[in-house]
Amino acid sequence: EAQVTQNPRYLITVTGKKLTVTCSQNMNHEYMSWYRQDPGLGLRQIYYSMNVEVTDKGDVPEGYKVSRKEKRNFPLILESPSPNQTSLYFCASSFSGEQFFGPGTRLTVL
Amino acid sequence: QKEVEQNSGPLSVPEGAIASLNCTYSDRGSQSFFWYRQYSGKSPELIMSIYSNGDKEDGRFTAQLNKASQYVSLLIRDSQPSDSATYLCAVRPFKAAGNKLTFGGGTRVLVKP
């Protein structure tokens, strides 16, 4: 089954404790992206990757890092999380424009 | 002006009626347009894509695109309670890197039995 997976699905953490949210896709897509979704602000792109070792900032990259060492994986790293990063996070992958989303990770930073 | 604008709703529709959702965009050069459905707390699910002017039908859904007027719409015929969700309009800007999409804020639809 073609899918995008994310882990963990739910995470409660404290300010400053580094965390990684994993994302994996099995569709051999070159393009992957991370979004956050907040009430009233909609979906906003954090980072994207056009292929292995090719990443770039989206609209709201501050406080986040990413890496793309393999085509299928695109982890999101929060090195020092802060409460304003409490949000619902989605990973997505794409081949020709239509993006397919993972199930989401609900992150709470206390 | 937001790049992609939608009425936030809620759009209340009786069961069996037609729900009509609109979306306007600012980048005149945009070529690709998508409608996603998102249930509360769930991920967006692609329901329609449209690339050329006119109508595109898929089951109970019809997407309409008018590039000259810079709007794209979604019609849901024979609305069902299971159609109650937020519908996101997404546009691929002309100069977007890769497959970047810009999303509207979404229209919440409520289908009442």
Side-chain angles (χ1 to χ4, degrees):
Chain A
E1 179 189 357
Q3 60 181 351
V4 179
T5 58
Q6 294 178 227
N7 282 292
R9 296 288 314 280
Y10 302 90
L11 179 60
I12 300 174
T13 189
V14 295
T15 299
K17 185 176 182 181
K18 181 179 179 179
L19 66 92
T20 299
V21 184
T22 64
C23 173
S24 183
Q25 50 97 2
N26 63 1
M27 295 170 278
N28 202 36
H29 288 166
E30 293 183 346
Y31 186 89
M32 298 185 73
S33 183
W34 275 102
Y35 294 87
R36 62 177 289 174
Q37 188 173 38
D38 303 288
L41 297 176
L43 273 166
R44 295 179 293 168
Q45 190 183 56
I46 302 170
Y47 268 93
Y48 66 94
S49 169
M50 295 176 67
N51 212 327
V52 175
E53 302 292 0
V54 181
T55 64
D56 207 346
K57 298 177 181 178
D59 299 317
V60 288
E62 294 77 22
Y64 304 94
K65 286 178 57 177
V66 292
S67 69
R68 187 93 180 272
K69 299 187 187 307
E70 305 168 281
K71 198 171 188 179
R72 63 184 293 128
N73 296 324
F74 189 43
L76 179 69
I77 303 157
L78 286 73
E79 296 215 326
S80 184
S82 62
N84 65 12
Q85 293 178 297
T86 292
S87 187
L88 180 57
Y89 291 86
F90 292 106
C91 179
S93 74
S94 171
F95 172 67
S96 61
E98 300 170 346
Q99 295 202 16
F100 299 92
F101 287 82
T105 295
R106 187 168 293 280
L107 172 65
T108 301
V109 183
L110 301 175
Chain B
Q1 180 188 7
K2 291 183 179 179
E3 293 181 64
V4 180
E5 293 204 60
Q6 298 179 251
N7 188 319
S8 61
L11 175 65
S12 185
V13 180
E15 184 175 358
I18 296 175
S20 178
L21 291 74
N22 295 318
C23 169
T24 59
Y25 58 94
S26 60
D27 184 344
R28 183 171 288 278
S30 298
Q31 298 294 320
S32 306
F33 307 86
F34 308 90
W35 283 100
Y36 287 82
R37 177 177 62 199
Q38 186 177 27
Y39 294 111
S40 180
K42 303 297 185 182
S43 60
E45 172 193 11
L46 180 68
I47 55 173
M48 291 285 288
S49 59
I50 186 166
Y51 303 96
S52 54
N53 281 330
D55 295 359
K56 180 181 178 182
E57 186 175 319
D58 184 358
R60 295 186 296 110
F61 298 100
T62 299
Q64 300 172 317
L65 175 61
N66 185 323
K67 291 183 179 180
S69 300
Q70 295 176 241
Y71 83 79
V72 56
S73 62
L74 179 71
L75 300 178
I76 308 173
R77 290 183 301 281
D78 188 23
S79 296
Q80 302 297 309
S82 59
D83 294 326
S84 297
T86 296
Y87 291 80
L88 305 174
C89 173
V91 175
R92 184 177 173 189
F94 177 64
K95 293 185 177 180
N99 294 330
K100 176 183 169 65
L101 296 181
T102 300
F103 286 83
T107 297
R108 186 174 165 220
V109 173
L110 294 175
V111 181
K112 297 188 175 181

